[in-house]
Amino acid sequence: MKGSLTLLSLVLAGAVFAAMPASGRQAASETKAAPAAKETKAQGNVVRIYKDESQMDIRGTTPSGTVRKVAYDSSTQWTKGGKPGQQDEVKEGSFVIVLGTLDDRVCCMQRA
């Protein structure tokens, strides 16, 4: 009697698990595997602009003064003084604030 009750419990548990839609189990595992990209901020003076590569080097305002390569594309938002601006307004020596994700294209750029 005890063995048949255990067997019946296992069969019912298996039936419940098998009845779960596969898409529900898959969606739960996909949400854990795809963390959101963290946005970072960098600021400094433009050292070089590579228009043909849609990139620029900026020297940070930290004491070490590291140079970072920043990429931009057609979806980059440019501002100047809090108002919409254009990419060609940024020149070598300009102070910029860059918001974007690491190892990805820059999402927006602001010129102070």
Side-chain angles (χ1 to χ4, degrees):
M1 179 77 177
K2 190 175 184 180
S4 61
L5 185 58
T6 304
L7 182 62
L8 180 62
S9 298
L10 288 173
V11 169
L12 287 175
V16 169
F17 182 74
M20 285 180 57
S23 62
R25 289 186 297 229
Q26 185 178 14
S29 66
E30 286 177 3
T31 55
K32 292 178 185 176
K38 184 178 177 184
E39 187 172 84
T40 59
K41 178 180 177 180
Q43 61 185 11
N45 294 315
V46 176
V47 178
R48 283 179 284 291
I49 298 175
Y50 308 99
K51 287 192 178 191
D52 56 330
E53 297 175 14
S54 296
Q55 295 180 354
M56 67 177 70
D57 291 338
I58 63 169
R59 183 174 309 280
T61 57
T62 61
S64 65
T66 55
V67 175
R68 284 185 151 176
K69 187 166 291 291
V70 176
Y72 56 89
D73 60 17
S74 60
S75 67
T76 301
Q77 299 173 6
W78 302 87
T79 62
K80 179 178 181 180
K83 297 179 182 164
Q86 299 295 319
Q87 188 275 329
D88 59 350
E89 295 175 335
V90 178
K91 308 283 185 218
E92 290 181 1
S94 297
F95 179 79
V96 293
I97 300 171
V98 182
L99 302 174
T101 55
L102 293 176
D103 298 329
D104 202 353
R105 290 300 209 179
V106 174
C107 69
C108 42
M109 179 175 286
Q110 180 175 353
R111 181 169 180 235

